[in-house]
Every structure is written in structure tokens, then in C-alpha cells.
């Protein structure tokens, strides 16, 4: 975008264009004419213009803006109208998704000759196909020197050699997301050592890092140490090998550990022993205990904490974090119904987190005691979600309605509330703009009419269906329980490329949500079978004190 057609060897007067500029002699008439001059140029012969191109006089920049407002299907079809449209559509596209099979390698020069302005690229290959190799990745990186975001999925034939060349050729690369790749620690080190602008790194199911292979720790280059700001590790067997990378990133702001096996207490303690500027931490289904939470409590700049299904964490660890991390703005806690976090921990959050704006409580059983502390002291609280709790009833929600003056969004899901508790929001929470009630079996549809009649501007989303707390799950993304979870699956779209051998189809993303994960991504279970673990925790929560605590693997 921003490049004129003449810069690419095309112009409106080029022989490749059959456009004719038309001018209407009478603007009130519906018929258009174009002028034909005689040799003496003393009169005009007007004839009807049958194939008028209304975009002929538009600059390429304006035409590119029109393309950007079209859907993916309309955009690819429109690009075949004429050569100019094909050119402008190609140079104005900055997002591209390719089916990264080996068969695409011969077409890479043609593809990136047309799409020469790509800055965000996704390369995906299914597990049954042979993926592109180092040669293809090097060729792509040499063509996309302005690449800022790259996603690799299932590219199993890429090694450390390709990753090293990628980092050298794409000096502007800021975000890398890789999943189910085989280049292992060696490839990751090759990337980090040569990267000079990398800010966000997301690694999921990186192969060749199990116990059967000699694994070297993930180190960090001097350039990446200053630029890296976010690290996300998902479903890794030996994720602790990223410890040196985490500790060496001087400007790291966000750390997400999701479903990674192994003990993470020691890694968190090592991070806490050094100077850090962590603002956001996500822990989901990882083996971390109160020792790890004690280390997190030393992160004085911490503002966002997600603690999802960490069964070894108790009230003591949460209290430690609440008392020492005074800057907390967002807290998500999913206790997995283990009853190890309750009023004590939540009460400490209420008493110490005066800046709290968002709170999500899932799988916990708080009472009026802790909710009163939260409602009374967290005067900035704007978003609250209460999900899958057996103790939250009318008294608890009435307390929220009368005390939370700043509350704007409320979600209640799978709780023991009735119409009497919900109707209290017809008068309470003066700033409330949206309330959502899901799977609360004692709530009827009549309460929605009461809320709407009393507060016309209030958005009421009421589901009086049968309660099913099993579906309640923690989310690693901001506001996951406050809004409906919207997945953006990677839908394959095709864009035609006019090449020497005819038309070549490639995949393009259907939306602009680059980096969103597909809903069909497989997940590993924490500490064995999911059903077995959940069943075990339910037995603990029912008072089996003689059962031993969870084993530390």
C-alpha cells in the first residue's frame, strides 16, 4: 500500500490496460459518453461507453482502501477483474496465510512477487503432509524482509539452519509463534542469538526437547535480551530449559506458562532473585505451589495475575501475593473446586488490592465475608465474574449489588442464586451496563423483564438452562470469563495468483485476528487423565482429610 502502479511497471496508460476515461456531456443524463477527436479537433463525436472503469481515475492508495473493506472472498474475486486490480490488491495485502506443504516450494517466487508487502505471515502444515524445509523458509525470509509477525505450525522439516537465516534476513521480526515444530532447542537458540527486534515469543509443543534427547538450555542473545517483552510457553515437556531465556530477558513484561509439565517453583524463585519488571503472569495447569506464589509476591510491578487450576496453591500463597503486590489490576483464579483457596485468600485480595478493576473467581466457594471485603475496599472494580460456585447465593450477590458502585460488567455462571438475588441489580450498581446470568437453575426468565423495565439501558443476557459447572474453565486471555469465548479458527481461503504456469491458489486468513489459536488445537492433560484428576480433587473437597497431598513430580 502506498506504492503507485507505475512503480511496478504499470500505469493507467500502459498497453496492458484497456481503460477509457469517460466524461458525461450532460450530468443529468443517465447515459455516459466519451469524446472522439478528429484530425482538425473541431468537433466531437459522442458514442456510448460500454466498458467504463470508474476506478480508472482513482489513485492506487484509494483503490487499496476499498479492497481492505471487502471480505476475503470478494477481495480475491475482485483481484481477477483486471491487471491493475490484481497488482494493487497484491501490494496492499500485508497479511497472508499459506498452506506450507512441500508442494508449494516451486510457487514461492511467484507468490511473493505479487504479495511483496507482507508483514504478517502464517505458515501451516497438517501432520499428514510433508512441510516446507529450510530452503523454502530462507527463500521466503529473503523476499519478506519487512516481516514483523510470523506463525509456524507443523513445519517439521525446518531446522536450526532455517531459523538462523530467518532471524538474519527478517531484522524487523517482532513476534514469533511456533507450534509442533521439530527444530528444538538448537533452532530456538539460533533464532534468539540472531534476532535484534524480537519482542514476543510463543512456543507450543516444540519437539526434540524430551528426555531421550540431549537438550541444551535456551539461552538468549545480547540483542534479544533487551528487546524481548513477552514469553508464552504451552504444552512443553521440558519447559524449564527456557529458564535462562526468561531470566536473561531484562525487559520482560509478560510471562505465560500454560500446561507445561515439571516443577516451576525453582524457576520462579530464580527469577525473583534477580531484578525484573514483570507486569503480567499466567499460570495454567502447571505444577506450582505456595513456594512459587511466594516468589511471585516479590514482583512489585505485578498488575495481572491468572492462576488457573494449580491444585497445590492455597490461601497462604494468595495472601502472600495480595499483601506484597499492591499494583494488581486484574486477578483470575480458578480453584478447580479443590477448596484450597477460599475466603482467606480472596479477603486478602479485597483488603490490599485497591487498584483492582477486574476479578474472575471460578471453582471457588467464597462467602459474604470475602465478597464484602472485595466490594468495600475495591472501589475501582469494574468487571466481576463468579462461576461454578456452590456457596454464592442471594446474600452474596446482594452484597455486590449494594457495595460495588463502579461495577460495569457482571457475569454469574453456575451459582446457587435465585430471582431474589438477581433482582437486586435493578436498583444496585448504578454504573452497571451489562449483566450475564448463565446456567443458574434457580433463576427464571421473569427476572430479565424486571431488570429491563427498571433499567432500560442495561444489557441483560439471561440463560435459564440447566446448570452444568463442568464446562466452566479458566482462560489465559484477558476477560475470558467476562465475555463469551469467541474462537477464530484458521479457515482456509484461497487467493488466485497469476503466474507463468496459470493461476495458483494460496490460503489467506479470513479475518485480521492474526495469531489467534484454532478451537481444534489439541490439549494435553495435567498429571495424567483429566477425569481421574478431577474426580480425585472432588473426593478431597468432600472432606477426605486422610488423603495425601498431590505428589510433586
Amino acid at each position: 500500500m502506498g506504492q503507485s502502479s507505475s512503480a511496478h511497471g504499470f500505469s493507467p496508460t500502459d498497453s496492458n490496460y484497456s481503460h477509457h476515461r469517460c466524461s458525461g456531456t450532460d450530468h443529468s443524463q443517465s447515459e455516459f459518453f466519451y469524446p472522439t477527436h478528429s484530425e482538425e479537433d473541431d468537433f466531437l463525436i459522442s458514442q456510448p461507453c460500454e466498458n467504463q472503469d470508474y476506478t480508472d481515475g482513482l489513485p492506487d492508495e484509494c483503490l487499496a482502501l476499498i479492497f481492505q473493506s471487502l471480505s476475503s472472498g470478494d477481495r480475491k474475486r475482485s483481484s481477477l477483474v483486471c491487471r491493475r486490480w490484481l497488482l494493487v490488491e497484491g501490494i496492499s495485502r500485508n497479511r497472508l496465510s499459506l498452506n506450507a506443504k512441500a508442494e508449494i516450494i516451486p510457487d514461492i517466487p511467484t507468490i511473493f512477487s505479487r504479495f511483496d508487502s507482507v508483514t504478517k505471515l502464517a505458515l501451516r502444515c497438517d501432520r499428514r503432509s510433508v512441510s516446507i524445509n529450510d530452503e523454502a523458509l530462507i527463500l521466503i525470509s529473503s523476499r519478506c524482509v519487512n516481516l514483523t509477525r510470523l506463525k509456524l505450525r507443523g513445519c517439521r522439516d525446518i531446522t536450526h539452519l532455517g531459523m538462523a537465516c530467518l532471524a538474519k534476513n527478517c531484522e524487523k521480526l517482532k513476534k514469533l509463534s511456533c507450534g509442533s515444530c521439530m527444530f528444538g532447542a538448537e533452532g530456538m537458540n539460533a533464532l534468539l542469538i540472531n534476532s535484534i527486534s524480537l519482542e514476543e515469543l510463543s512456543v507450543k509443543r516444540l519437539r526434540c526437547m524430551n528426555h531421550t534427547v540431549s537438550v541444551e538450555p535456551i539461552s538468549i542473545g545480547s540483542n534479544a535480551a533487551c528487546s524481548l517483552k513477552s514469553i508464552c510457553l504451552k504444552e512443553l515437556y521440558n519447559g524449564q530449559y527456557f529458564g535462562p531465556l526468561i531470566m536473561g530477558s531484562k525487559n520482560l513484561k509478560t510471562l505465560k506458562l500454560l500446561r507445561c509439565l515439571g516443577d516451576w517453583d525453582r524457576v520462579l524463585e530464580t527469577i525473583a532473585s534477580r531484578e525484573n519488571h514483570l507486569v503480567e503472569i499466567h499460570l495454567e495447569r502447571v505444577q506450582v505451589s505456595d513456594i512459587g506464589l511466594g516468589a511471585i509476591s516479590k514482583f512489585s510491578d505485578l498488575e495481572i495475575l491468572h492462576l488457573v487450576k494449580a491444585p497445590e496453591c492455597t490461601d497462604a500463597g494468595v495472601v502472600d501475593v495480595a499483601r506484597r503486590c499492591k499494583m494488581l489490576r486484574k486477578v483470575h483464579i480458578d480453584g478447580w473446586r479443590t477448596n484450597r483457596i477460599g475466603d482467606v485468600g480472596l479477603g486478602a485480595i479485597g483488603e490490599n488490592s485497591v487498584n483492582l478493576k477486574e476479578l474472575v473467581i471460578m471453582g471457588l466457594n467464597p462467602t459474604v465475608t470475602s465478597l464484602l471485603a472485595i466490594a468495600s475496599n475495591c472501589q475501582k472494580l469494574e468487571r466481576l465474574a463468579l462461576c461454578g460456585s456452590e456457596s454464592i447465593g442471594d446474600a452474596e450477590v446482594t452484597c455486590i449489588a449494594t457495595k460495588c458502585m463502579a461495577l460495569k460488567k457482571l457475569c454469574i455462571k453456575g451459582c446457587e442464586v435465585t430471582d431474589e438475588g438477581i433482582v437486586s441489580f435493578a436498583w444496585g450498581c448504578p454504573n452497571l451496563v451489562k449483566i450475564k446470568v448463565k446456567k443458574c437453575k434457580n433463576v427464571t426468565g421473569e427476572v430479565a423483564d424486571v431488570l429491563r423495565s427498571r433499567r432500560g439501558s442495561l444489557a441483560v443476557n439471561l440463560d435459564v438452562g440447566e446448570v452444568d459447572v463442568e464446562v466452566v474453565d479458566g482462560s489465559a486471555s484477558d476477560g475470558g470469563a467476562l465475555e463469551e469465548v469467541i474462537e477464530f479458527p484458521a479457515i482456509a481461503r484461497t487467493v488466485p495468483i497469476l503466474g507463468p504456469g496459470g493461476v495458483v491458489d494460496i490460503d489467506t486468513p479470513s479475518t485480521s485476528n492474526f495469531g489467534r489459536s484454532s478451537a481444534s488445537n489439541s490439549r494435553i492433560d495435567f498429571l495424567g487423565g483429566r477425569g481421574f484428576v478431577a474426580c480425585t480433587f472432588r473426593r478431597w473437597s468432600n472432606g477426605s482429610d486422610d488423603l495425601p497431598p498431590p505428589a510433586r513430580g
Side-chain angles (χ1 to χ4, degrees):
M1 183 173 177
Q3 305 178 43
S4 64
S5 58
S6 59
H8 291 264
F10 293 95
S11 67
T13 59
D14 193 275
S15 59
N16 291 315
Y17 293 95
S18 60
H19 313 311
H20 298 280
R21 297 176 181 267
C22 303
S23 61
T25 57
D26 185 359
H27 293 288
S28 64
Q29 302 296 324
S30 60
E31 191 175 31
F32 290 88
F33 301 90
Y34 67 88
T36 303
H37 297 267
S38 66
E39 294 180 358
E40 293 80 6
D41 197 20
D42 56 353
F43 63 93
L44 298 175
I45 301 177
S46 298
Q47 296 179 359
C49 180
E50 297 179 356
N51 299 318
Q52 179 184 3
D53 183 1
Y54 292 96
T55 66
D56 192 23
L58 283 178
D60 288 353
E61 292 81 0
C62 295
L63 185 58
L65 290 174
I66 295 174
F67 279 127
Q68 291 178 359
S69 65
L70 299 178
S71 66
S72 179
D74 290 341
R75 180 166 181 162
K76 68 182 182 183
R77 285 187 289 269
S78 299
S79 66
L80 295 178
V81 169
C82 63
R83 290 182 178 273
R84 183 191 177 213
W85 286 24
L86 184 73
L87 174 67
V88 174
E89 196 279 333
I91 64 177
S92 64
R93 184 183 288 275
N94 58 12
R95 299 172 185 264
L96 196 63
S97 178
L98 296 179
N99 190 355
K101 296 181 180 180
E103 292 83 352
I104 203 177
I105 295 178
D107 298 316
I108 288 177
T110 304
I111 294 172
F112 289 98
S113 292
R114 177 187 171 189
F115 300 107
D116 59 353
S117 301
V118 172
T119 59
K120 301 170 185 179
L121 177 64
L123 301 173
R124 297 183 176 92
C125 184
D126 61 83
R127 63 181 65 186
R128 297 181 180 179
S129 304
V130 179
S131 72
I132 59 174
N133 53 21
D134 289 338
E135 180 183 356
L137 184 62
I138 294 172
L139 181 58
I140 292 173
S141 63
S142 64
R143 296 265 184 166
C144 302
V145 293
N146 293 321
L147 200 65
T148 59
R149 295 187 182 185
L150 176 63
K151 176 185 288 186
L152 299 175
R153 289 290 183 271
C155 298
R156 293 173 294 277
D157 288 352
I158 294 177
T159 69
H160 65 283
L161 299 177
M163 297 303 292
C165 291
L166 168 68
K168 292 177 182 178
N169 293 335
C170 302
E171 295 182 352
K172 298 180 181 179
L173 187 65
K174 293 184 177 181
K175 182 176 181 179
L176 174 68
S177 174
C178 60
S180 301
C181 295
M182 301 286 290
F183 50 75
E186 188 176 6
M188 190 59 61
N189 282 327
L191 172 78
L192 294 170
I193 291 173
N194 295 282
S195 295
I196 61 176
S197 302
L198 192 64
E199 295 181 357
E200 298 182 37
L201 176 64
S202 178
V203 183
K204 181 177 182 179
R205 291 198 296 268
L206 183 62
R207 310 302 184 187
C208 298
M209 289 190 62
N210 51 41
H211 294 291
T212 60
V213 180
S214 178
V215 181
E216 57 178 313
I218 308 296
S219 58
I220 189 167
S222 58
N223 295 317
C226 298
S227 62
L228 203 58
K229 297 179 181 179
S230 175
I231 296 177
C232 179
L233 306 178
K234 301 179 183 179
E235 299 175 12
L236 297 179
Y237 290 105
N238 288 335
Q240 290 78 10
Y241 285 100
F242 284 83
L245 170 65
I246 299 172
M247 291 178 283
S249 302
K250 301 177 182 179
N251 295 315
L252 189 66
K253 301 292 185 181
T254 302
L255 176 62
K256 298 181 181 181
L257 305 175
L258 313 177
R259 303 180 295 279
C260 294
L261 299 182
D263 190 352
W264 286 92
D265 283 344
R266 184 176 300 178
V267 175
L268 292 173
E269 284 184 307
T270 307
I271 298 172
S273 64
R274 304 185 181 187
E275 182 181 1
N276 67 82
H277 302 281
L278 281 170
V279 175
E280 181 175 357
I281 292 182
H282 293 224
L283 302 175
E284 180 178 335
R285 288 199 190 185
V286 294
Q287 188 173 341
V288 62
S289 67
D290 290 342
I291 297 175
L293 291 182
I296 292 175
S297 68
K298 299 178 182 179
F299 304 158
S300 57
D301 297 330
L302 190 66
E303 296 181 7
I304 301 174
L305 174 63
H306 286 214
L307 186 62
V308 178
K309 296 181 179 179
E312 295 186 40
C313 295
T314 68
D315 279 327
V318 176
V319 169
D320 204 6
V321 173
R323 288 178 177 174
R324 304 178 69 175
C325 299
K326 301 292 186 179
M327 303 297 293
L328 284 175
R329 294 186 298 107
K330 297 181 180 180
V331 176
H332 291 208
I333 300 180
D334 184 347
W336 218 2
R337 297 184 295 277
T338 60
N339 285 337
R340 295 193 168 193
I341 300 176
D343 277 342
V344 176
L346 295 177
I349 292 176
E351 293 172 0
N352 297 277
S353 304
V354 295
N355 296 313
L356 194 65
K357 289 187 175 182
E358 179 175 309
L359 177 63
V360 176
I361 302 173
M362 310 179 75
L364 303 181
N365 292 315
T367 64
V368 175
T369 303
S370 57
L371 292 179
L372 180 60
I374 294 171
S376 301
N377 299 320
C378 302
Q379 296 296 320
K380 299 180 181 180
L381 187 63
E382 297 179 353
R383 299 175 295 276
L384 176 64
L386 307 172
C387 307
S389 175
E390 299 176 354
S391 63
I392 295 179
D394 293 339
E396 285 72 21
V397 296
T398 301
C399 174
I400 294 170
T402 56
K403 297 290 185 179
C404 295
M405 297 293 104
L407 194 64
K408 295 182 179 180
K409 293 184 179 181
L410 174 66
C411 175
I412 303 175
K413 185 174 182 179
C415 297
E416 299 296 323
V417 296
T418 66
D419 290 351
E420 183 179 352
I422 300 300
V423 78
S424 62
F425 292 99
W427 297 272
C429 298
N431 292 306
L432 193 65
V433 296
K434 184 176 182 179
I435 181 172
K436 181 184 299 184
V437 182
K438 298 286 187 180
K439 295 182 170 59
C440 296
K441 59 184 179 181
N442 297 321
V443 178
T444 66
E446 298 177 357
V447 71
D449 298 331
V450 175
L451 292 176
R452 293 189 182 101
S453 62
R454 176 67 181 177
R455 306 177 65 166
S457 61
L458 180 63
V460 181
N461 189 338
L462 182 62
D463 177 13
V464 294
E466 188 174 337
V467 65
D468 183 11
V469 297
E470 288 292 338
V471 300
V472 176
D473 196 2
S475 173
S477 61
D478 291 346
L482 296 172
E483 300 292 340
E484 288 294 326
V485 177
I486 303 177
E487 296 288 353
F488 296 86
I491 303 175
R493 304 281 184 177
T494 58
V495 168
I497 296 177
L498 192 60
V503 177
V504 179
D505 286 343
I506 64 173
D507 294 339
T508 57
S510 59
T511 69
S512 61
N513 295 280
F514 184 88
R516 300 292 182 98
S517 60
S518 171
S520 61
N521 286 343
S522 60
R523 298 185 178 184
I524 62 173
D525 289 329
F526 176 74
L527 296 177
R530 181 176 184 178
F532 171 78
V533 176
C535 181
T536 303
F537 287 146
R538 280 195 292 270
R539 288 200 298 269
W540 289 347
S541 64
N542 289 333
S544 299
D545 297 332
D546 55 332
L547 291 176
R552 300 283 297 278

